[in-house]
Amino acid sequence: MTTAIRKSDRRVSPVFLGIAAVTAVAGWAVWTDFAASVGFAVFLFVTGGWITSLCLHEYAHARTALHSGDITIGAKGYLTLNPLKYTHALLSVVLPVIFVILGGIGLPGGAVFIERHRIRGRWKHSLISAAGPLTNVLFALACTAPFWLHALSGVPTAFRYALGFLALLQVTAAILNSLPIPGLDGYGVIEPWLSYKVRRQVEPFARYGLLAVFVLLFFIPQVNRAFFDTIDAILGALGVSDVDSYCGRNLFSFWTSRNEYYCGT
């Protein structure tokens, strides 16, 4: 099934490698306190890490689709991890980054176009949709590993806070994108199991799913409070305190009055 995929279709994009390099250098600057502004270095590290996770999120969708029967994935450039190859680059990269800057939440948008008619079996369709959020779960576990493994001895405070905030973004992305709302991956998981009539009735609302989530979170205080209480509980179970994520967000927002000294870094 993968024999139709050319080697160039699978080669990691220089764009992705550049993003990973910026993330690594920014992480080094935070760790060593080399940067003139710790907050700016945290911003680059977290933003780079977030975009990297977005690329991996969409790669997981594409790779699962490839092995499920859609051999057109390679020719579309989805296996190169290049965010510029996504069907909706604005929704896939720019908008999620804006969400992070404005509200401190991780919310992946729409991205890869999968030719679903090539795929047989409801379980395969569900797995393709689930692959993205599962990638965020794995990324969250990687970010929180130093916390739940109690391996933070010697880790610079600013770097710890940055990891805490990046973990928060991954947890919020995994939860929000798993909601059974049209347009999100959670709905994609259950859609194959719905009747044709229900799918046709829901289809017109898919384009508004992301907007609906945004409105609920930012304009209904009770929903916002309940959501972030849940996020704090999950992060707490993984060893990340609300101080870690809160101070990480403060450092990330270097352009505000909250600067790197606010949390004692």
Side-chain angles (χ1 to χ4, degrees):
M1 196 173 296
T2 58
T3 54
I5 304 299
R6 298 173 302 175
K7 186 177 180 180
S8 60
D9 293 335
R10 297 175 297 180
R11 187 177 295 120
V12 178
S13 166
V15 175
F16 177 80
L17 292 176
I19 294 170
V22 170
T23 305
V25 171
W28 170 81
V30 175
W31 184 282
T32 61
D33 197 23
F34 179 81
S37 169
V38 176
F40 182 65
V42 168
F43 174 82
L44 290 179
F45 173 65
V46 172
T47 301
W50 174 233
I51 295 176
T52 298
S53 75
L54 292 175
C55 294
L56 293 173
H57 176 110
E58 305 307 339
Y59 175 84
H61 284 311
R63 193 75 190 190
T64 307
L66 171 66
H67 291 290
S68 297
D70 184 0
I71 59 175
T72 68
I73 289 296
K76 295 169 183 172
Y78 296 158
L79 301 179
T80 65
L81 291 164
N82 184 354
L84 301 180
K85 293 292 184 178
Y86 296 156
T87 306
H88 301 292
L90 175 63
L91 292 177
S92 303
V93 179
V94 178
L95 197 58
V97 170
I98 291 176
F99 279 144
V100 172
I101 292 174
L102 295 180
I105 62 171
L107 186 61
V112 298
F113 174 72
I114 296 169
E115 297 187 15
R116 294 276 183 172
H117 65 277
R118 295 176 178 271
I119 299 166
R120 298 291 181 266
R122 289 183 291 184
W123 282 107
K124 290 182 179 179
H125 285 280
S126 294
L127 184 58
I128 290 169
S129 294
L134 287 175
T135 301
N136 291 114
V137 171
L138 293 176
F139 209 109
L141 290 174
C143 291
T144 58
F147 296 87
W148 48 266
L149 289 175
H150 306 289
L152 289 168
S153 178
V155 175
T157 303
F159 192 85
R160 168 179 177 152
Y161 291 160
L163 275 183
F165 182 51
L166 186 55
L168 180 146
L169 296 180
Q170 299 304 319
V171 172
T172 57
I175 291 179
L176 289 174
N177 221 29
S178 297
L179 295 175
I181 295 176
L184 299 180
D185 289 330
Y187 177 75
V189 172
I190 66 172
E191 184 181 26
W193 307 90
L194 301 176
S195 68
Y196 176 76
K197 180 180 179 180
V198 171
R199 295 200 304 268
R200 287 298 302 271
Q201 290 175 335
V202 171
E203 186 177 358
F205 300 99
R207 69 187 67 180
Y208 304 112
L210 192 63
L211 177 62
V213 171
F214 180 83
V215 170
L216 288 172
L217 282 176
F218 288 95
F219 294 97
I220 303 180
Q222 295 86 348
V223 174
N224 182 284
R225 190 178 308 111
F227 174 73
F228 278 103
D229 284 346
T230 301
I231 297 300
D232 288 341
I234 294 173
L235 288 174
L238 293 171
V240 182
S241 70
D242 53 355
V243 173
D244 292 319
S245 56
Y246 176 79
C247 288
R249 182 179 176 184
N250 280 351
L251 289 173
F252 175 86
S253 305
F254 71 95
W255 58 89
T256 68
S257 58
R258 300 173 297 185
N259 55 49
E260 56 261 35
Y261 301 103
Y262 187 85
C263 290
T265 60

